[in-house]
Amino acid sequence: MSSATPETARQPNRLAASTSPYLLQHADNPVDWWPWCQEALDLARRLDRPILLSIGYSACHWCHVMAHESFEDPATAELMNGLFVNIKVDREERPDLDKIYQTAHQFLVQRAGGWPLTLFLGPDDLTPFFAGTYFPRERRFGMPAFAEVLQSVERAYRDQPDLIAQQNGNLIAALSALDPETSDVLPDPALIQGAVMQLAASFDAEHGGFGRAPKFPHATSLELLLRRYAATVGQGRPDTRALQMASFTLERMIRGGLTDQVGGGICRYSVDDHWMIPHFEKMLYDNGPLLALCCDAYRATSDPLFARAAGATADWVMREMQSPEGGYYSTLDADSEGHEGLFYVWDRAEVESLLEAPEFAAMAAVHGLDRPANFEGRWHLHGYRTQDEAARLLGWTAELVEARLTSARAKLFAARERRVRPGRDEKVLTAWNGLMIKGMARAARVLECPDCLDSAERALGFVRDRLWHQGRLFATYKDGRAHLNAYLDDHANLLDAILELLQTRWSTVDLRFAIALAEVLLGQFEDAGQGGFWFTSHDHEQLIHRPKPLADESTPAGNGVAAHALQRLGHLIGETRYLDAASRTLRLASSAIERVPYGHASLLFALEELETPPEILVIRAEGARLRSLQREAQTGYHPHRMVLAIPASATDLPGTLAAMTAGAGARIYRCQGTYCEAPRDLPAES
């Protein structure tokens, strides 16, 4: 983002060579920015200057504000250039740095951080001695002016070295104290129900969700509730309360302003309790898990609302977020033309002019155009009424309301396409692609959507062709360049996605890719002694801390996804090393899960399947018979079941699958844990 004019234009700084759209937004700043690199760190040590580290991402609204106010301002830039070595980091490309320095911010400031994240590091040890987030150019919001902060921090660095050294020592000790200690015992399975009870205690029965605004989707929490419901159905005592909390929350998110009612896709979070006004950025990492969740909710409830939402989300991804090469892009910005949400909101008169009177009546009744404006004098479409309620109000059938809403949305979409679009971050991140491949694979199966399957296969093919090289994975790709050592989440999410895709259609090549990823997880990320997986590989750059993230955040915890996926793969091919690694991870996480069960949902999925291994059905048949048996086995909501439909002609299967040979006709193998029943041969179809 730059406001440079011909009179003020200058040579781009070092960020101009970056693949990150966020860094490129700052390439024309008068700030002498560096990317995070050894040369910049060496320069800071040589000059004995503190490092000003600024971390953000391309779709971040307040990052844009701070850039415009301060980083594009020549006077502020002059101050920054004279006092500091300035380093700009894209938190999506370098989540390792972001995780460490967000945690450091929390220790220093005693509250959660965010973006933009602003830190000042000592050049010798890279430990932050002052931290904040957004700082205004002039004093306001109860905050000092950024220029005042710059001068005060640099003065403190010169005048108070002993105090800073003591504080740095305390901070490093505090970071080290976060390292979990392994336990001799596994977590108590009762903690799964404990997590459900914690969620119930904070459940908003009026609007859905948990706690008060801002409200985030928290897909892992909702998946925990759905999985708990399915488990209790199998036990003969269904937890309908868990189902109700999950389905009601998801229904409110889908009908509300959190969802783009015209173009599909779900925004980052709601600023209010009603899921009405979102922060308008759309993140791939939210939409992948929520796509899968909508499919699960449809299977669990048969409510077509969830199927429609899944279809709309998948359509948006394929239309706007998949590159011609196949990989999925990262984000859509919240802003367009310098204003948040401008692309998405409407003037009532504009809507009236675009629609026929019956179409407008349906939109007004359902989406609030018959009410006062809800966003800065304009209307953001929110589900104030259900279609049934609107039908009663208008004296129509619900089917007629639906038909007129569908035609109205199509016209609004066509009109909106002529607007200036929000910016799109077109880097391809391996971890986030894993989340979306999983969502698309499940949508392909549940919605019987061939386009979704093609999309997922193209994305996986892209990752394997462009981001997997000589047995190692890269984290990011853009403009023909893949780089940066991949992190735990990249490997875990991609492994999990492949296991999902294998349940939609079989590929021995993909299974072998999954096994290769599992081997890298064990060889490069596992702490075989204490258990669990570090976020960075053994050969990664050494930083001030090496975390083992256990708790779910905006994405599921890499340790949880890895443990769950390794267990499933271990059972599938009979590899006990994978099962043992998952067990060690759960032992390591035992204390953390006990303290805050609901914050570790992805680890609880692994715990659940450690206690009761998944049912694995392997079907060997051909053609339509294979597809028919697969569809029958996958009908309904069975999150604790894996169904692999392997063509009878497939050979050279790895591990214990090699023994599951085809028969004269269709043959089904059923296994659970280490026990397999005798294969069942089915009679030919009449």
Side-chain angles (χ1 to χ4, degrees):
M1 178 176 179
S2 176
S3 61
T5 64
E7 292 76 27
T8 62
R10 61 189 300 276
Q11 289 297 314
N13 56 45
R14 298 171 188 84
L15 302 184
S18 173
T19 61
S20 160
Y22 174 64
L23 299 191
L24 291 173
Q25 288 173 353
H26 296 269
D28 292 323
N29 291 169
V31 177
D32 188 17
W33 289 116
W34 289 80
W36 182 277
C37 61
Q38 193 59 49
E39 187 179 358
L41 305 181
D42 291 342
L43 177 66
R45 294 187 185 102
R46 189 167 65 252
L47 297 178
D48 187 26
R49 284 188 186 177
I51 293 168
L52 192 165
L53 176 63
S54 176
I55 302 178
Y57 60 103
S58 67
C60 167
H61 173 72
W62 286 101
C63 298
H64 298 333
V65 173
M66 190 167 178
H68 179 67
E69 290 181 345
S70 295
F71 303 149
E72 295 174 5
D73 175 54
T76 304
E78 184 178 5
L79 201 56
M80 293 170 65
N81 295 338
L83 300 179
F84 303 98
V85 171
N86 304 289
I87 296 180
K88 177 64 76 171
V89 164
D90 183 341
R91 68 106 171 176
E92 296 169 353
E93 285 195 340
R94 294 299 305 261
D96 54 336
L97 294 171
D98 187 56
K99 282 182 183 294
I100 291 168
Y101 288 115
Q102 289 284 356
T103 305
H105 172 280
Q106 189 154 359
F107 277 120
L108 290 172
V109 183
Q110 295 298 298
R111 64 173 181 269
W115 301 278
L117 183 65
T118 307
L119 306 107
F120 297 88
L121 319 182
D124 293 328
D125 57 8
L126 306 182
T127 304
F129 60 92
F130 186 85
T133 52
Y134 162 80
F135 290 103
R137 183 165 56 187
E138 290 90 21
R139 289 189 180 197
R140 67 175 185 274
F141 310 135
M143 292 186 287
F146 189 47
E148 295 174 344
V149 172
L150 297 173
Q151 293 165 324
S152 297
V153 167
E154 201 278 337
R155 189 161 53 247
Y157 175 75
R158 301 295 170 198
D159 297 346
Q160 303 176 44
D162 294 340
L163 184 62
I164 288 174
Q166 180 182 359
Q167 176 182 277
N168 287 358
N170 293 338
L171 177 59
I172 295 299
L175 290 173
S176 298
L178 293 176
D179 295 339
E181 294 184 5
T182 195
S183 170
D184 294 332
V185 297
L186 290 162
D188 186 345
L191 292 170
I192 300 171
Q193 182 60 27
V196 172
M197 293 172 65
Q198 285 183 324
L199 290 170
S202 64
F203 178 62
D204 181 346
E206 184 178 1
H207 304 296
F210 306 95
R212 303 298 302 274
K215 283 187 173 179
F216 291 80
H218 292 306
T220 48
S221 295
L222 299 178
E223 184 181 355
L224 174 70
L225 294 172
L226 287 179
R227 288 176 66 95
R228 189 58 182 163
Y229 166 71
T232 56
V233 167
Q235 297 162 3
R237 42 185 177 82
D239 186 347
T240 55
R241 173 66 168 156
L243 176 63
Q244 189 270 337
M245 286 190 289
S247 59
F248 180 67
T249 296
L250 190 57
E251 179 253 332
R252 288 303 175 98
M253 289 195 297
I254 290 168
R255 288 181 46 235
L258 189 75
T259 295
D260 180 354
Q261 300 295 333
V262 170
I266 301 172
C267 296
R268 181 70 194 95
Y269 63 86
S270 172
V271 302
D272 56 75
D273 290 336
H274 306 267
W275 304 103
M276 182 189 300
I277 303 301
H279 182 42
F280 286 88
E281 62 187 357
K282 293 184 187 176
M283 318 297 288
L284 192 71
Y285 67 71
D286 286 317
N287 282 272
L290 288 169
L291 172 56
L293 189 71
C294 287
C295 293
D296 290 347
Y298 176 56
R299 284 293 203 209
T301 67
S302 300
D303 188 337
L305 172 77
F306 300 124
R308 287 195 297 268
T313 301
D315 287 345
W316 166 71
V317 171
M318 291 185 285
R319 184 181 66 244
E320 299 187 27
M321 300 301 287
Q322 189 157 29
S323 73
E325 296 174 281
Y328 297 117
Y329 297 136
S330 297
T331 64
L332 287 186
D333 205 325
D335 297 8
S336 58
E337 301 183 79
H339 297 280
E340 183 175 6
L342 184 61
F343 181 75
Y344 299 99
V345 298
W346 298 91
D347 291 319
R348 186 159 53 193
E350 180 188 7
V351 177
E352 283 190 282
S353 71
L354 292 166
L355 305 181
E356 301 294 331
E359 294 170 332
F360 179 80
M363 289 295 294
V366 171
H367 291 303
L369 294 166
D370 57 352
R371 298 169 185 247
N374 61 3
F375 184 77
E376 299 177 357
R378 306 182 80 186
W379 280 260
H380 176 58
L381 301 181
H382 170 73
Y384 290 91
R385 297 184 182 95
T386 66
Q387 291 181 23
D388 287 340
E389 290 168 341
R392 288 193 294 271
L393 177 70
L394 297 169
W396 300 345
T397 64
E399 292 74 18
L400 185 57
V401 172
E402 170 63 22
R404 286 171 174 169
L405 285 174
T406 299
S407 61
R409 288 169 182 155
K411 291 178 181 179
L412 295 182
F413 177 81
R416 199 177 73 176
E417 285 293 279
R418 297 191 288 270
R419 296 179 179 178
V420 176
R421 301 185 61 81
R424 181 171 62 192
D425 189 320
E426 295 187 352
K427 65 177 179 292
V428 176
L429 297 170
T430 302
W432 298 7
N433 269 249
L435 294 173
M436 185 53 73
I437 292 168
K438 179 178 180 178
M440 279 292 189
R442 191 167 298 175
R445 188 165 69 249
V446 172
L447 305 180
E448 299 186 356
C449 173
D451 288 345
C452 295
L453 176 57
D454 176 68
S455 174
E457 289 183 316
R458 289 177 58 220
L460 180 61
F462 174 89
V463 171
R464 186 168 45 228
D465 293 344
R466 306 297 175 88
L467 289 148
W468 175 254
H469 182 64
Q470 296 183 347
R472 293 300 297 274
L473 197 59
F474 290 109
T476 183
Y477 173 96
K478 189 174 182 292
D479 298 333
R481 178 186 171 201
H483 68 122
L484 298 176
N485 285 347
Y487 308 100
L488 169 61
D489 291 6
D490 297 297
H491 294 81
N493 290 345
L494 191 58
L495 170 58
D496 191 40
I498 294 172
L499 292 178
E500 186 71 32
L501 189 54
L502 288 172
Q503 295 180 75
T504 303
R505 60 93 184 100
W506 180 255
S507 166
T508 304
V509 171
D510 287 352
L511 178 58
R512 294 195 179 281
F513 186 24
I515 293 169
L517 290 169
E519 292 298 325
V520 176
L521 274 171
L522 267 58
Q524 282 289 338
F525 291 86
E526 191 195 10
D527 181 346
Q530 293 297 308
F533 297 89
W534 279 291
F535 189 71
T536 52
S537 61
H538 298 325
D539 56 1
H540 194 77
E541 171 189 4
Q542 186 172 350
L543 302 170
I544 64 171
H545 185 233
R546 192 182 183 195
K548 287 182 187 174
L550 300 174
D552 300 317
E553 297 176 346
S554 55
T555 56
N559 269 281
V561 177
H564 186 241
L566 285 169
Q567 270 183 172
R568 291 199 152 200
L569 182 59
H571 286 305
L572 182 62
I573 66 171
E575 179 52 78
T576 58
R577 291 183 301 121
Y578 301 163
L579 302 177
D580 292 343
S583 179
R584 286 191 294 268
T585 301
L586 286 166
R587 284 186 169 88
L588 176 78
S590 184
S591 295
I593 296 173
E594 187 173 358
R595 284 194 300 271
V596 191
Y598 82 96
H600 298 83
S602 57
L603 279 162
L604 292 178
F605 304 158
L607 176 62
E608 183 180 43
E609 294 194 359
L610 179 71
E611 180 75 5
T612 305
E615 176 190 27
I616 297 178
L617 299 179
V618 175
I619 305 170
R620 302 300 306 268
E622 288 291 349
R625 179 71 158 149
L626 180 66
R627 292 190 295 274
S628 173
L629 291 169
Q630 178 185 15
R631 186 179 299 111
E632 180 182 347
Q634 292 175 332
T635 299
Y637 178 55
H638 303 287
H640 310 100
R641 174 186 295 171
M642 295 182 69
V643 179
L644 287 305
I646 305 177
S649 57
T651 59
D652 195 27
L653 301 178
T656 52
L657 285 175
M660 297 184 182
T661 56
R667 177 176 286 177
I668 298 178
Y669 295 82
R670 181 183 182 275
C671 300
Q672 189 161 21
T674 58
Y675 168 75
C676 288
E677 299 174 355
R680 183 162 59 102
D681 289 304
L682 302 181
E685 289 184 301
S686 57

